[in-house]
Amino acid sequence: MVPVKRIILATCSFIPHAPKATSFIPQLTTISLIASTRRHFVASSLLASTTRGQVCSSITRTVSLSATDSTMAFETGYLNAKDAAALDAELMSTPGFSLEQLMELAGLAVAEAVYQVNSENNKESTNRVLVVCGPGNNGGDGLVAARHLVHFGLEADIVYPKPSSKQHFINLVKQCEDMNIPVMSEIPSDKKYDIIVDSIFGFSFDSTSTIREPFATAIKDMIRLQKDQNATMISVDVPSGWDVDGGDLTGENFSPEVLISLTAPKMSAKKFKGRHFVGGRFLPPAIAEKYGVKMPPYPGVQQMPPYPGLRHCMEVPSVDDVHDQEEEDWAVQYQAYLDEKDAMLNEDGEDVPSRQGNKSPQGEDWAVQYAEYCIEKEKEFFQYNQIKES
Ligand SMILES: NC(=O)C1=CN([C@@H]2O[C@H](COP(=O)(O)OP(=O)(O)OC[C@H]3O[C@@H](n4cnc5c(N)ncnc54)[C@H](OP(=O)(O)O)[C@@H]3O)[C@@H](O)[C@H]2O)[C@H](O)CC1
Ligand SMILES: [K+]
């Protein structure tokens, strides 16, 4: 870990969102306190450019779910455009979240997913991210994500063709500039990027009118860059230009490889066939229930679970069909994996002597192993979709 002058001891607060996870609170709290006496954590990436993965993997203990729970958790539900806006408004009224709070969490979740995709990219050079921001809050999520990505150690450029005059957005741009992130008005033709983050339009995009400038050009330029530079396109909440409920109605054939849904997938996500993350770990249970949203179970402190498939979000056969030769569903195997890990703790949650710290006998952190397991399964499913389509 990067040495820092001031060290803050972090006590982690685990706030499980799935009601069934409540019984794990004492166990998780115990483990987090034990962990905090052993190691020093830098409290946030606002202070130093530590790799978030390092911090997370040091302190996370996954929430153990039964096979049934983890299967159900993939059925996240869908929001149509009207409900997505109503849910947003309700979040900012009844429980009193501010837009700034929600955008910071949404942007952080986006940055985590982008970081994960980037670290799995098998490209010669990685780390160069272009974030293209639109005029509304979807664009704000992009501005927040760019700042976090730089804290995570990636290079980020921003294209913000029509900056908002609202004070919060002015602040977000200033925060990015303070991180030495270039903020440009159009997509440059002379720079190379590995990842493009499409943060132009979200759930308030109006597909009944043609896409107005400067965003029509921005979308065209993004698509050109995606093809010319073989960059990975990641859309935030809704692929820009897609009708929020109906999907790609324009015929532009805008097809991102990755979609990051915030709070819950929008209806158009049913048409999306790529890799799908669902993030936004801030939904109070009553609002989730009212709108029929089931949040996926999040491991440890992550904002963006590396869950495989989110298969109910895609209109394709379940991964079980692919693995029908296997005796057990992967979720059952995964539960067995967690049970095995649980058995390595004694009743007080202390380590069995044979284990060293949070390391397994093979020397790997549990959380790292868990994340790798999930990524592996997700890749299998993604590859299966590609084969199926070709
Ligand atoms: N609850 C959450 O999960 C949170 C989600 N967040 C993000 O916010 C967006 C929704 O933000 P919103 O500002 O409501 O809308 P958009 O970002 O989609 O953009 C609205 C702007 O787009 C312009 N627009 C609409 N249609 C067109 C068009 N055909 N051509 C050009 N421009 C268009 C519109 O312009 P107007 O002139 O009509 O005003 C708006 O300026 C959500 O998707 C999440 O990403 C939040 O961060 C909070 C938490
Ligand atoms: K978008």
Side-chain angles (χ1 to χ4, degrees):
M1 191 174 284
V2 178
V4 288
K5 286 185 184 153
R6 282 180 67 200
I7 302 291
I8 298 168
L9 283 181
T11 48
C12 324
S13 56
F14 291 86
I15 309 168
H17 287 252
K20 295 255 171 79
T22 313
S23 59
F24 289 94
I25 293 173
Q27 190 187 356
L28 289 167
T29 309
T30 311
I31 291 169
S32 68
L33 291 175
I34 290 168
S36 67
T37 58
R38 278 207 197 107
R39 298 182 190 204
H40 288 164
F41 301 117
V42 179
S44 89
S45 61
L46 298 174
L47 294 178
S49 298
T50 37
T51 304
R52 189 174 173 81
Q54 287 176 323
V55 178
C56 291
S57 65
S58 307
I59 58 179
T60 50
R61 169 73 178 88
T62 52
V63 176
S64 188
L65 295 157
S66 73
T68 319
D69 287 337
S70 65
T71 307
M72 279 172 59
F74 295 127
E75 296 169 3
T76 52
Y78 298 91
L79 288 171
N80 62 31
K82 200 166 142 257
D83 284 349
L87 186 154
D88 215 36
E90 197 160 337
L91 270 176
M92 284 184 261
S93 56
T94 323
F97 283 103
S98 66
L99 174 66
E100 287 84 346
Q101 266 183 300
L102 295 175
M103 197 175 277
E104 190 66 28
L105 289 168
L108 177 60
V110 169
E112 280 193 16
V114 173
Y115 181 88
Q116 186 173 320
V117 171
N118 181 68
S119 56
E120 291 163 25
N121 256 350
N122 292 323
K123 290 181 179 168
E124 266 178 32
S125 97
T126 48
N127 292 344
R128 298 166 308 187
V129 183
L130 177 69
V131 185
V132 188
C133 300
N137 296 340
N138 195 263
D141 295 347
L143 295 172
V144 173
R147 168 164 45 85
H148 285 292
L149 284 167
V150 172
H151 278 296
F152 294 173
L154 274 61
E155 292 168 33
D157 284 5
I158 291 172
V159 168
Y160 195 23
K162 197 176 169 188
S164 167
S165 57
K166 290 182 189 152
Q167 190 58 48
H168 179 53
F169 288 79
I170 294 170
N171 295 348
L172 289 178
V173 170
K174 171 77 168 62
Q175 290 159 18
C176 288
E177 286 169 346
D178 287 348
M179 292 297 295
N180 300 319
I181 302 173
V183 182
M184 301 170 279
S185 58
E186 52 188 48
I187 294 176
S189 53
D190 56 345
K191 291 185 87 171
K192 294 230 176 301
Y193 297 100
D194 306 294
I195 288 181
I196 304 166
V197 177
D198 152 36
S199 212
I200 298 184
F201 299 125
F203 61 59
S204 298
F205 173 69
D206 176 11
S207 70
T208 59
S209 71
T210 52
I211 303 176
R212 297 185 291 279
E213 291 294 356
F215 302 107
T217 300
I219 292 175
K220 282 199 173 70
D221 286 352
M222 279 197 316
I223 297 173
R224 178 183 46 76
L225 212 62
Q226 178 189 20
K227 287 187 182 139
D228 291 355
Q229 304 193 356
N230 191 25
T232 306
M233 182 75 76
I234 303 180
S235 284
V236 177
D237 214 20
V238 183
S240 294
W242 280 29
D243 180 77
V244 181
D245 294 338
D248 185 14
L249 308 178
T250 62
E252 290 282 341
N253 275 335
F254 178 50
S255 55
E257 285 92 347
V258 181
L259 172 64
I260 303 169
S261 292
L262 294 166
T263 312
K266 310 302 167 290
M267 281 296 176
S268 53
K270 289 185 176 181
K271 306 273 170 65
F272 178 72
K273 297 284 193 285
R275 183 172 180 187
H276 193 177
F277 291 83
V278 175
R281 195 178 184 177
F282 44 69
L283 212 53
I287 293 195
E289 194 177 338
K290 179 172 173 185
Y291 288 88
V293 170
K294 290 199 187 97
M295 297 303 285
Y298 290 88
V301 297
Q302 284 175 260
Q303 299 299 314
M304 184 61 68
Y307 280 103
L310 284 168
R311 57 190 186 236
H312 298 284
C313 299
M314 304 183 205
E315 291 179 329
V316 292
S318 88
V319 75
D320 302 342
D321 299 340
V322 196
H323 296 296
D324 55 4
Q325 301 301 318
E326 289 184 14
E327 278 181 21
E328 287 182 322
D329 185 281
W330 72 263
V332 177
Q333 295 171 21
Y334 172 55
Q335 181 59 44
Y337 172 83
L338 287 180
D339 290 345
E340 189 190 314
K341 297 296 173 195
D342 271 341
M344 293 173 76
L345 293 174
N346 68 19
E347 280 181 359
D348 298 326
E350 287 170 355
D351 295 332
V352 171
S354 63
R355 218 160 49 79
Q356 300 162 356
N358 280 337
K359 311 279 182 190
S360 70
Q362 289 76 32
E364 288 200 17
D365 190 292
W366 289 6
V368 173
Q369 291 179 12
Y370 162 74
E372 280 171 1
Y373 181 91
C374 289
I375 288 163
E376 201 50 47
K377 291 296 168 190
E378 189 175 81
K379 272 185 190 161
E380 276 176 27
F381 186 59
F382 185 56
Q383 278 162 4
Y384 164 68
N385 277 336
Q386 285 183 322
I387 293 164
K388 189 171 168 286
E389 276 173 15
S390 62

